[in-house]
Amino acid sequence: MTAVVFDVGETLVDEALAGTQVFTDAHLHPDALPCIEALRARGLRIGAAGNMRAVHEEFLRPHVDFVGSSQRWGVEKPSPDFFARVIEEAGRPAGEIAYVGDRVDNDVLPALAAGMTAVHVRRGAWRHQEPPLEAIRLRSLAELPEALP
Ligand SMILES: [Mg+2]
């Protein structure tokens, strides 16, 4: 693994806390920044890309190497075109990228189909979705640094 790309809504940002506001650091789950820092310390390239308005990208820029939104990119998950863009922005082969998300339908399955490692974090409104066996399963992002191959 040389790159890790995070979904934003509910994976990094607590959507119940953020509501309809423009996302800020105050809306991040408490495990988000420590996880990103631990992965950066390993030298991994880090991205954040999700189905969201472009205005939500700004607060993430200081924390990661690249940010993407469905609005700016003009493609939405679960489209394969969205994941092709993730791979392009990561600048690494798909097999070296882990995509981390809270939804099986929008994150895990299309990431696997694109040839990436899929990581499912079980929380929020979609926590009852059951990921396939190929996915790495987490209850919190605190488990991610150890769980990555
Ligand atoms: Mg999400």
Side-chain angles (χ1 to χ4, degrees):
M1 210 59 54
T2 64
V4 177
V5 183
F6 293 88
D7 161 54
V8 179
E10 210 50 63
T11 298
L12 296 176
V13 165
D14 183 335
E15 292 187 314
L17 199 58
T20 57
Q21 302 170 75
V22 175
F23 298 161
T24 70
D25 282 3
H27 301 130
L28 288 167
H29 281 292
D31 56 15
L33 291 181
C35 175
I36 288 171
E37 288 313 310
L39 299 177
R40 291 190 96 159
R42 277 201 207 174
L44 296 173
R45 183 164 163 79
I46 308 295
N51 283 353
M52 60 183 185
R53 290 184 290 139
V55 69
H56 294 309
E57 291 185 38
E58 289 313 314
F59 89 104
L60 288 164
R61 292 192 195 284
H63 302 305
V64 296
D65 298 305
F66 70 91
V67 183
S69 64
S70 52
Q71 185 182 36
R72 185 167 58 83
W73 285 357
V75 282
E76 278 193 358
K77 294 184 289 188
S79 167
D81 293 341
F82 183 96
F83 291 87
R85 182 69 184 263
V86 166
I87 294 164
E88 183 188 326
E89 298 278 339
R92 306 289 161 82
E96 294 185 12
I97 305 168
Y99 189 79
V100 185
D102 64 300
R103 284 183 61 161
V104 171
D105 54 348
N106 261 13
D107 302 318
V108 171
L109 296 178
L112 289 172
M116 291 185 261
T117 294
V119 181
H120 180 245
V121 55
R122 186 182 292 280
R123 62 183 172 200
W126 303 92
R127 66 187 174 281
H128 299 301
Q129 289 188 328
E130 205 49 51
L133 290 174
E134 308 95 281
I136 295 173
R137 298 141 177 257
L138 311 176
R139 274 168 297 186
S140 138
L141 293 182
E143 300 171 358
L144 183 59
E146 266 195 40
L148 280 183

